[in-house]
Amino acid sequence: MAYRVLIAQFMHETNTFSKLKTTLEDYRKRWLIEGEEMVPRFTGTRNEVGGYIDSVKKYGWEPVWAAAANATPSGKLTKETWEHIRDLILNAAKKAGKLDAICLSLHGAAVTETEDDAEGALLEALRGIVGADIPIVATLDLHANATVKMARHANALVSYRTYPHIDGYERAVQAAALVQETLEGRKKPRCLLVQPAMLQGADSGKTTQPGLMRDLLAKADAFEKEPGINVVSVQAGFTWADIPYTGPSIAVSHEPGAEGRAKEAAAAILDEIWKRRTENTSNFRPVAEAIAAAKAGAGKEGPLVVADGTDNPGGGGYNDTTPVLQALVDAKVENVAFGTIYDPGTVQQAIKAGVGAEIDVELGGHTDSSMGAPVKARAIVKMLSDGSFKNDGPMNAGVETSMGPTAVLRIGGIDVVTISNRIQTIDLQVFLSQGIDPRTRSVVVVKSVQHFRAAYAPIAREVVLVDSGGICSPDISRLKFTKLRRPIWPLDGVNDPYAGQRP
């Protein structure tokens, strides 16, 4: 008889410092899919749901497709949004009758108007429905603010091991394999989580070059080879969340007799994070330096990729700050592709005018003018589209993306991809789908801090990461925490990673 397994996804990385609430419409702009419609949408994709779909086929499970929900990072989920998505999953579990297991794709940093630990609350509710003996596993983002509640109610938390996150598929396959072993009686996993008194650490999880995070993952790999240790996950945490649980953590799934060794493994990795807590390979530079590099590189082969990292929509950035765009306009830099500016009003203005028209625009800067006023310019409407494409990868290959109604506006020598849905620029199709080949441009601007590297680093002659003063600034002195556990490094005079607690 086939094992009956519920599959669901609920993802959001919540920047609690954002003024923008996250609504059901925000989910619908990326995806909010119920039931079996998950299968055609994600079959063949390289994300977690795609991994679970293939695992269902591999193991011959009888799947219960609950829902898949994912929205661009922004502010807290409204109560209505949280309860709607939560109940889609809980009601599917209640209506399913007998379940043998649950496989989830979570983020681990979702915050709602009523829940500081949304994933912990969801796992707790599911555990209440299916009981203590049914295996529940969840994949997490590497930037999860993971909690003891999540670990208490899951048998394993399986986090990404790459940043850019190109292994969502593999992590789901790993989680499903552990479920299969459990169903066959070969494993009895349970999970523990340890979190130090640290707001930041693990070099934010960057894995594109040798360094701290790769060293931590090597330690995790070694522990996973030991008897009784199933999964060792390193979460770097998501800084821009004013909740008690923000920061790095280690989750270890282990067998009943290996709890002591699991605690030792977690402590060993956290000790390494603590010893190397000041290591940071992100080199944010002033906008003026990026403009100088752009002018100096005119005519050279390959684009200069300028990453506007503090307006990263993947961390809750507003996607419409303008200092970089304004500086390029003022400097009259040529042959630039700019992706993207969120400005649905200007898109509608362009649609009304039509391709080829010249229009006076006030582009971007509408969410928070303190992060750059609108760029006032004369623009030519070069292209109009519905903004839809499929990612080429490496990240989320095959996944459908919608920028909403989209206009390419030419301002001087700059082609600006102007969009109606906030998205992070992680894929070349952001430009290619709009008739722009970024490989032929002198300068390419992306609204991203790290994920862009998977697709754009291979084509770049140089990458410059800039601080344009957006909401995702690395300067944590700009953030006012009221709920964060204290004392904590680096905000307080902490010289013990377990200040105020013991592992």
Side-chain angles (χ1 to χ4, degrees):
M1 184 174 177
Y3 295 115
R4 191 166 168 80
V5 181
L6 182 140
I7 312 290
Q9 181 185 66
F10 165 53
M11 297 193 76
H12 195 257
E13 186 175 68
T14 306
N15 187 323
T16 66
F17 299 98
S18 169
K19 62 171 65 175
L20 303 175
K21 293 181 179 180
T22 302
T23 66
L24 284 170
E25 183 59 27
D26 293 317
Y27 272 91
R28 294 184 182 107
K29 287 177 179 179
R30 183 174 277 188
W31 62 76
L32 180 56
I33 303 166
E34 299 182 34
E36 294 186 1
E37 289 303 311
M38 295 166 62
V39 179
R41 179 66 179 268
F42 294 108
T43 294
T45 63
R46 300 296 297 181
N47 74 352
E48 299 93 302
V49 181
Y52 283 138
I53 289 170
D54 285 352
S55 297
V56 166
K57 297 174 184 175
K58 177 179 180 179
Y59 300 121
W61 292 345
E62 180 185 343
V64 176
W65 304 105
N70 196 335
T72 293
S74 47
K76 292 181 181 180
L77 277 70
T78 65
K79 181 174 182 289
E80 174 197 15
T81 302
W82 154 241
E83 291 180 352
H84 180 86
I85 297 169
R86 177 200 65 191
D87 291 348
L88 285 177
I89 299 170
L90 296 184
N91 289 338
K94 291 174 183 175
K95 294 176 182 177
K98 181 182 181 296
L99 285 172
D100 296 299
I102 295 176
C103 291
L104 302 174
S105 164
L106 306 177
H107 185 288
V111 182
T112 82
E113 291 177 328
T114 57
E115 294 285 352
D116 285 342
D117 176 12
E119 289 94 343
L122 176 64
L123 284 161
E124 182 178 47
L126 284 168
R127 183 60 74 191
I129 292 169
V130 301
D133 298 328
I134 299 300
I136 301 177
V137 299
T139 59
L140 297 181
D141 193 284
L142 186 151
H143 297 104
N145 290 322
T147 69
V148 170
K149 182 184 281 189
M150 293 181 205
R152 182 184 305 128
H153 296 291
N155 297 86
L157 300 173
V158 185
S159 295
Y160 301 156
R161 300 171 77 82
T162 59
Y163 183 31
H165 305 325
I166 59 174
D167 64 330
Y169 178 94
E170 287 78 7
R171 299 289 72 78
V173 168
Q174 180 185 6
L178 181 58
V179 165
Q180 181 67 14
E181 289 184 290
T182 305
L183 292 172
E184 293 174 354
R186 292 184 287 134
K187 297 277 189 177
K188 295 182 179 180
R190 63 277 321 276
C191 192
L192 64 82
L193 183 126
V194 182
Q195 183 172 49
M198 299 177 70
L199 174 60
Q200 297 174 308
D203 191 22
S204 299
K206 291 187 286 295
T207 59
T208 47
Q209 64 283 317
L212 176 53
M213 190 64 188
R214 285 194 188 179
D215 294 345
L216 298 173
L217 291 172
K219 284 181 175 289
D221 288 341
F223 283 120
E224 284 186 358
K225 291 181 173 65
E226 295 186 13
I229 304 297
N230 300 315
V231 184
V232 180
S233 291
V234 182
Q235 293 80 228
F238 178 68
T239 302
W240 297 273
D242 184 18
I243 57 174
Y245 323 105
T246 302
S249 63
I250 306 297
V252 183
S253 174
H254 61 89
E255 292 299 292
E259 183 174 5
R261 186 55 178 158
K263 289 181 177 179
E264 291 174 355
I269 296 173
L270 285 175
D271 285 348
E272 185 77 5
I273 295 175
W274 176 257
K275 288 175 187 175
R276 300 169 65 179
R277 60 191 177 278
T278 60
E279 291 187 23
N280 182 2
T281 59
S282 293
N283 180 24
F284 282 87
R285 293 157 65 179
V287 173
E289 288 190 18
I291 301 303
K295 296 177 74 173
K300 293 184 179 179
E301 185 176 353
L304 169 74
V305 176
V306 178
D308 190 358
T310 59
D311 189 33
N312 170 28
Y318 296 141
N319 201 177
D320 75 341
T321 67
T322 56
V324 176
L325 178 58
Q326 187 66 65
L328 288 166
V329 171
D330 292 344
K332 296 181 171 58
V333 180
E334 296 288 326
N335 197 25
V336 179
F338 195 106
T340 56
I341 287 285
Y342 169 78
D343 192 333
T346 298
V347 171
Q348 290 303 312
Q349 180 187 357
I351 290 171
K352 184 176 181 180
V355 173
E358 291 191 30
I359 57 176
D360 292 313
V361 298
E362 295 188 12
L363 186 60
H366 300 300
T367 307
D368 188 338
S369 59
S370 71
M371 297 177 185
V375 174
K376 297 181 180 180
R378 188 78 170 163
I380 300 172
V381 181
K382 299 297 295 183
M383 182 174 176
L384 298 169
S385 76
D386 66 1
S388 297
F389 60 85
K390 282 189 177 182
N391 289 338
D392 283 340
M395 187 172 170
N396 288 337
V399 175
E400 296 178 17
T401 299
S402 173
M403 300 186 289
T406 296
V408 177
L409 303 177
R410 179 163 293 174
I411 300 174
I414 308 166
D415 286 332
V416 184
V417 181
T418 310
I419 60 177
S420 301
N421 297 342
R422 292 180 175 87
I423 68 157
Q424 182 178 183
T425 309
I426 65 171
D427 200 277
L428 296 181
Q429 285 296 332
V430 168
F431 295 107
L432 293 172
S433 66
Q434 304 307 307
I436 300 169
D437 187 343
R439 295 162 293 196
T440 67
R441 297 305 177 105
S442 179
V443 180
V444 174
V445 180
V446 296
K447 294 278 189 174
S448 177
V449 71
Q450 177 73 2
H451 285 324
F452 74 93
R453 294 181 188 272
Y456 288 87
I459 71 168
R461 71 170 187 269
E462 182 185 357
V463 172
V464 177
L465 179 64
V466 299
D467 183 348
S468 65
I471 194 174
C472 298
S473 170
D475 182 1
I476 59 173
S477 68
R478 301 181 191 176
L479 307 178
K480 306 303 179 187
F481 291 96
T482 60
K483 291 185 175 182
L484 185 64
R485 67 195 182 285
R486 308 296 281 265
I488 197 166
W489 183 89
L491 299 180
D492 305 313
V494 173
N495 56 16
D496 175 2
Y498 301 108
Q501 61 170 321
R502 297 309 306 174

